[in-house]
Amino acid sequence: MTRSSSAETASTTTRQALIRARFDGAQGYDGAATLQRVAARALAGDLDRALAERAHTPLRVLEVGCGTGFLTEQLCALWPQAHILATDYAPGMLARVTARLGARVDVHLMDAANPDVSGPFDVICGSLVLQWLDDPATALKQLAGLLAPDGVLAVSTLRAGTFAEWQKACALEGQVPATPDYPDMPELSRWVPYPCQGMWRAERCVQAFGTGLDFVRHLKKTGADMPRAGAAGMGAGALRRVAARFEKSGAAVTWELAYGCFRRPPRAGVFVTGTDTGVGKTLVSACLVRRWQAPYWKPLQSGLEDEEGDTPTVARLAAGNALHGPGVRCFPPAGAYQASLSPEAAARAEGVLIDPALLALPMDEPAQPLVVEGAGGLMVPVTEEIMMVDLAQRWGLPVVLVARSGLGTLNHTLLSLEALRARGIAVAGVVLNGPPNPENSRTIAHKGRVRILAEIPHEAHIDGATVEELSQRLPSWPEIAAV
């Protein structure tokens, strides 16, 4: 370890100790923590809705940064049968949770940035704790790793714009505010822990105070008066001037809140989709099946009057030499239609309607990666109400997006990535199909904030040997799962 890194570690440790001491000494916390109650109720509501959508009752719940138990109390009411483990970095806070809820919950002293508990948990949550961590994105990734399949991670934090009124008063008095720098929504969008699906939502709360010094006392009572790292505190005279200026503007502060709710995939696997029909989804699917020795599922197949269908094609191409193995396991389509139309139109042409209830993700051997291939692109209709992208969201698997490498791909690929992220769908990466085009590859990676998984060249003849060779260009399953 270098001298500078040793100093940084010591500084971080000292700061953590100061944060712990402030929260341990926050005796007026429950009476002052109005915003903390609001955030806890809102986060509990998000959790309740997320679990109700899947009719899933959690059995193991982990809470980080429990404080005095505002959210913990909500969790107990939501899931009376669940085992709840409430953790906090401050021993004094854990003592108060125990006093509030008794034996209903177990408590554990733990730094949310370095979890030392064993999963899996059906729910992991924490209200207004991320802003106290040095690397929130890494902490979220570590916590997501403790989720059970289909488990939910839900957190709240403060975002940019919080304390704007106080910061303005400081600037008008020539002072540099010591309030922390909070992330904006674009930065928060990069904190979504892969391979979880989900997104952040924003909320704003305004809290009025009698005087400027009342606001300062409020921060102290809630343990939140810790200045940002490297910031110098104001002298008493400067603090009084800033407080007076703050009172003239109304003595109210805005709390900018962000709530994130993220779902771990229900099983191992990917959803393969494309920017268009005929971009090479089936070839890429066959390569992934071959690379990972994975089962395959094409939920909806149309166009059987013109071709054999993707399921037998993948089975043939990915099998290799079937004499030396069991071949490819393919789950049968939920719907197969003759016309070369969208699934909705092809089914209607045969006088039938697609039943969404039949489109349930196969759950056999859930630890083994499953390759699911969509029909057409993301906005292809499945029913009057459901598009292919809606199924991707329902299934919860990270997406492999297949795109052409040449002219026209930038618009289609970037729009597809935007559609996925607008629904909080995790993206494993992009596969470019066709002649090498380094400029398009670089642009998609940079503008789309995505990994290029592979570039598949044009092949005049595709057979099992070709798929075997091309499959080696793609990442292994552990490399996909751990991005």
Side-chain angles (χ1 to χ4, degrees), residues 39-54 78-79 152 154-156 199-201 203 258-261:
R41 283 195 296 269
L43 191 62
D46 286 352
L47 275 168
D48 188 26
R49 286 186 291 273
L51 275 293
E53 285 176 3
R54 293 187 290 284
L78 281 175
W79 306 304
V152 173
V155 291
S156 63
M199 55 202 309
W200 293 87
R201 68 175 181 88
E203 186 176 79
Y259 299 88
C261 194

Side-chain angles (χ1 to χ4, degrees), residues 50-314:
L51 275 293
E53 285 176 3
R54 293 187 290 284
H56 180 45
T57 301
L59 298 178
R60 295 193 73 205
V61 177
L62 171 67
E63 182 186 1
V64 297
C66 63
T68 63
F70 295 150
L71 178 58
T72 322
E73 201 166 40
Q74 300 276 336
L75 300 175
C76 290
L78 281 175
W79 306 304
Q81 304 305 315
H83 173 260
I84 297 172
L85 179 60
T87 70
D88 201 280
Y89 191 56
M93 291 295 186
L94 293 178
R96 293 163 78 173
V97 169
T98 300
R100 181 192 294 266
L101 296 168
R104 175 62 188 85
V105 300
D106 288 335
V107 298
H108 176 62
L109 185 67
M110 187 183 84
D111 180 0
N114 296 288
D116 59 358
V117 293
S118 298
F121 294 93
D122 301 305
V123 169
I124 300 176
C125 54
S127 184
L128 296 180
V129 63
L130 291 185
Q131 66 267 21
W132 300 109
L133 306 183
D134 292 329
D135 188 354
T138 297
L140 283 173
K141 189 172 180 65
Q142 288 180 310
L143 292 170
L146 296 173
L147 283 173
D150 214 26
V152 173
L153 169 62
V155 291
S156 63
T157 191
L158 298 177
R159 62 189 178 96
T162 296
F163 304 146
E165 298 87 351
W166 179 260
Q167 292 165 349
K168 182 178 179 180
C170 288
L172 290 173
E173 289 298 325
Q175 300 295 316
V176 177
T179 50
D181 296 320
Y182 298 118
D184 57 18
M185 292 303 285
E187 182 179 351
L188 284 170
S189 71
R190 293 188 283 273
W191 291 8
V192 177
Y194 180 90
C196 292
Q197 175 187 109
M199 55 202 309
W200 293 87
R201 68 175 181 88
E203 186 176 79
R204 175 176 296 165
C205 294
V206 177
Q207 186 173 4
F209 294 89
T211 68
L213 292 178
D214 284 343
F215 168 63
V216 176
R217 294 186 192 102
H218 167 83
L219 295 181
K220 186 175 181 62
K221 286 179 181 178
T222 57
D225 57 334
M226 182 76 180
R228 72 174 183 276
M234 281 183 275
L239 182 61
R240 284 194 295 271
R241 290 194 299 275
V242 170
R245 175 78 68 171
F246 176 69
E247 288 172 28
K248 288 180 181 178
S249 69
V253 293
T254 299
W255 302 82
E256 299 286 357
L257 294 158
Y259 299 88
C261 194
F262 315 111
R263 170 196 177 194
R264 186 180 176 91
R267 63 160 300 144
V270 296
F271 176 70
V272 180
T273 189
T275 56
D276 198 355
T277 298
V279 295
K281 294 189 306 298
T282 301
L283 173 59
V284 171
S285 295
C287 290
L288 291 173
V289 168
R290 180 65 178 168
R291 180 79 165 101
W292 302 339
Q293 298 297 295
Y296 171 83
W297 185 43
K298 175 83 172 185
L300 295 167
Q301 175 73 65
S302 56
L304 291 177
E305 64 185 4
D306 300 318
E307 58 183 37
E308 65 175 344
D310 295 334
T311 299
T313 299
V314 168

Side-chain angles (χ1 to χ4, degrees), residues 315-376:
R316 173 171 48 81
L317 292 176
N321 187 348
L323 294 176
H324 298 288
V328 177
R329 183 181 184 190
C330 295
F331 294 96
Y337 312 103
Q338 297 299 307
S340 296
L341 301 168
S342 71
E344 178 196 18
R348 189 170 59 245
E350 297 181 19
V352 298
L353 296 176
I354 295 174
D355 182 358
L358 299 178
L359 300 172
L361 193 67
M363 292 303 294
D364 302 53
E365 300 182 72
Q368 182 181 19
L370 170 70
V371 176
V372 180
E373 182 185 350

Side-chain angles (χ1 to χ4, degrees), residues 12-33:
T12 298
T13 302
T14 301
R15 180 171 172 79
Q16 289 172 339
L18 289 172
I19 292 172
R20 173 185 282 180
R22 274 174 162 77
F23 279 106
D24 269 338
Q27 296 303 313
Y29 187 93
D30 279 7

